[in-house]
Amino acid sequence: MRSTAASGAVLMGIVTVILAYGGWALSFIVPSGRDVWLPLEYAGLIAFSAWIAWGALALCYRNGNHNILPLTMFIITVAWLETYRLGFSTEDFSQGPRQAVFIAAGLALFLAVVVCLRDYRILEDYKYIFLILALLIQISVMLFGMRINGATLWVDIGGHSFQPFEFTRILLVFFLASYLRQFRGWLRMDLISENWRLPHRAFIMLGLGMAAAEILLVVQRDLGMALLLFGIFVSLFYAVTNRKDILALAFGLSSVGAYFCWRIYPHVQERVSNWLDPFVAFDGSGYQICQAIFSLANAGLDGTGLGLGGAAYIPAVVNDFTFVAIAEEFGIMGAGALLAGMILLFAECFGISLRVKDEFGSILAAGLVYMLAWQSLINLLGVTKVLPMTGVALPFVSAGGTSMLSCFAVLALLWRIDISDTPLKKTKRIRRADGASGTERALEAENGR
Amino acid sequence: MDVKERIRRLAYIYLALFFVPLLGVSRYAFFECDEYANHRDNHYNMTAPALRGSILDCHFRPMAYMHRSARVYPLGEAAAPLLGYYSRIYGEAGLESALNKKLLGNPIPRDPWAAYKIWKKGGRKGDDIVLTVDSDLQKKAFEALGGYKGAAAVMSVRDGSLLALASAPSYNPEEKLLEENWEEISRDEEAARLLNRSIQGLYPPGSTFKVLIMSGCLEDGFVSANESFNCEGKDLVVNFVLNCSAVHGKVSLKEALGYSCNVAFGRMGLRMQMEGIRKWMRAFRMDDPLKDVPGAAQAVLPTVDTSSAPAETAIGQGDTLVSPLHMARIAAVIANKGLDVEPHLLREQLSGSDAVWRYEPEKAQRVISKKNAALVAEAMEFTVREGTGMAAYIPGVRVAGKTGSAENPHGKVHAWFIGYAPAEDPKVAVSVILENAGGGGKFAAPVAREIMKAALELPEFKSGKK
């Protein structure tokens, strides 16, 4: 179903009402001595910037998907209200305002990317640069990064810490989408040909690139991101090549790798044992997940109500466990509404991938949505103890500027792919009818096809 | 099958996976809610204080309730050892702890329809607990203890409901004051402020135990109503010297109780032997776990079996230990003409305005015959009229009672008094102990008098009086 500006406007209206009501509700639980109307002012800032961004897109790009931004704003709004409220309990009173500014900045970035990135297809030509850049960033993090919670994930730039993997994961999706599309013909061939020649260099290149990235992430102890990258790779590889044998090989190798990680790294063993029974280490590493369980046990059908839950007792709640806090204070129904919002948002995004006629656009869009969806799932399944906890931020929900900006950038790229589907007036590059780029044509000529 | 078809398939899988976190939430919020909401490590329920239920007295006056996310105790010190405290730092004690689960309310039921109904009613709120305690009497009983270390238990004779359970020294249970004075409140083992002495304090019963001995002896035929004893002030039982407070001379059974003659009761104890004494302690339900009084201690039955032990035990010394509640119950049995009613503290559990639980009285058990109960009752009335318990006399009211002065290793004797009033139509049974205060007749009896006087002023007893 093609979205219209009308359905988007209705959704934006709903989001505005939630923001207004939520900001007003927050004024009741503002600790004494603080400005009671501050939450409402920041809610106004969010609503204002959301309407500006959405209105500009609706006016300038009539053929765009105008449901995506309101659905995102719904998720962001619920999460922001909870983040703001948790700031009261942890006595971090600037947390809510700070997050509101990040949201406004994210919306500005969204507009900027949509307007400035005229042709996303140029991304395809820089795939090796993206790969090398991604690896370089991760290596430099390892060398210069800060160690927080046993993992080297953060770098400090001008007094602000940020998590570079939020950006490297996007670069890696660019690389994967371009590479898989270009070599899909080769990758669909048998691994070992009749002449006992080595596998095609596409396999070797891809295998080495992915293995290098995975090993870097594991050495940095960023298990969540390693799992994320693996998920994106497996999904995209299957979608493009339909190679189940390679997938089996990848699963086999990564199982062996996971087993050795578990044997070698104490922190991996800790994660697994905290997943199996967190109460054994209640006073230690299991405390966080135990408190999260108590929080959920307090939730009930409709939750405790905003400000009445105790999720602030979970250490680092706004980084990893915002979903649990939302579930506690808004109940099973609130958590269900948030998940429904995510399902609708990602369904719209998958719709872009399926609708776009350009094959690279389709694969890139799919890769970006797999990334957002799988990252959300790793967090959600971790905090509800379905999977071991890996400490991955929940897109649009977890507090933090890097995560918010990078997620908005991804969303803008998806949006751009959607509207680029209709022919641009000035096509800078000559394209074949089947969508293959000039590079590929040259390559095929070289290979004598 | 082309690329888009596979993207579509994977998209369905991804979207379907988003239902799994909802199952994960439901697992803890719904299916295993009970287990984790009441987990021993979960000090978490305290963080939802606006939902905690109230504790109400028998006239639905609040004794503990939430106000602006703080727990308020209108009675303050007077009921603190009974109600306990509720602190976000130190947890709960007393009834706040024993009734914690009920005060927090039931977890959301699994049945979605029932859950929906709760939601419609305005969500989860803890249940309110109605006690049998009367706030006014509780306050007066605490004041009557007059600064002594000690306790008083007041029981309604007719139905066994506990009207007041006072204990001193006490503390201010308000959260802020409690946390400020925590060291003083919790560390002072001498004062043991957190202990509810009326149901948890265990003391030697002293001469008040003679009521039980007399009942048992009459029932088992070891003594007859018109038997008399010769008291020469002291008696040697094997190697134990029974000292009497005075040389009573020839005393009847009634006078023996009235003047608290150790010689007479020492001899009765020897006739019963330890087995007999233990049997009658069990008959008076002293080994009862008192399931309707949360936190109550069980009595310690005597175990020493030397040849002089029966005499020693019969006058309430030896290794017997009882709480004031046990002794109030004995007084109530005599007042009830030999019938024992179960003492209880909880009356109702209210969920919103519906009673989800109500105390169901069990059938009263006969302990001693009506005839023998009347004999003991007459002797107890004589005690207050002419004997050791004269200080408990209330003008215009016939009071029955028994004093006790329990020797103990901590200093002066504990002052005991048990009794009931009015004798012709008993309404309240009372038991008082003042630790190391001195003789029971001098110190405990006036306290009991004040408490009984206050109890008889209660509207429910006043209206019964023609």
Side-chain angles (χ1 to χ4, degrees), chain A residues 179 183 185-187 189-193 197-206 443 447:
Chain A
Y179 198 87
F183 291 103
W186 295 107
L187 291 169
M189 277 169 53
D190 281 344
L191 194 56
I192 297 165
S193 60
R197 283 197 309 191
L198 274 173
H200 189 266
R201 64 186 168 89
F203 283 113
I204 299 172
M205 195 48 219
L206 193 61
L443 206 95
N447 289 330

Side-chain angles (χ1 to χ4, degrees), chain A residues 314-348:
Chain A
I314 309 172
V317 57
V318 289
N319 299 325
D320 299 335
F321 284 88
T322 318
F323 177 73
V324 170
I326 292 170
E328 183 186 3
E329 302 202 339
F330 299 99
I332 295 174
M333 295 195 294
L338 191 72
L339 291 172
M342 288 184 182
I343 291 174
L344 289 175
L345 173 65
F346 293 131
E348 290 281 7

Side-chain angles (χ1 to χ4, degrees), chain A residues 269-285:
Chain A
Q269 292 166 14
E270 201 176 85
R271 292 278 165 100
V272 173
S273 62
N274 286 340
W275 172 57
L276 294 173
D277 188 1
F279 290 97
V280 173
F282 179 78
D283 293 320
S285 58

Side-chain angles (χ1 to χ4, degrees), chain A residues 235 238-240 242 279 282 291 293-297 302 310-311 313 328 343 346 350 353-354 356 370 385, chain B residues 3-4 6-7 10-11 14-15 17-18 20-22 25 28-30 33 36 39 41-42 44 47 108 119 124:
Chain A
S235 306
Y238 167 74
V240 176
N242 196 21
F279 290 97
F282 179 78
Q291 287 299 322
I293 289 173
F294 294 153
S295 223
L296 289 174
D302 63 332
Y313 285 70
E328 183 186 3
I343 291 174
F346 293 131
F350 277 124
S353 165
L354 297 174
V356 164
Y370 290 148
K385 210 166 86 65
Chain B
V3 174
K4 284 199 176 170
R6 287 191 290 273
I7 291 177
L10 281 174
Y14 271 97
L15 294 183
L17 279 173
F18 274 87
V20 180
L22 194 61
V25 171
Y28 298 112
F30 220 69
C33 177
Y36 292 110
H39 195 278
D41 290 326
N42 191 347
Y44 192 88
T47 57
I108 294 292
W119 174 69
R124 265 171 81 182

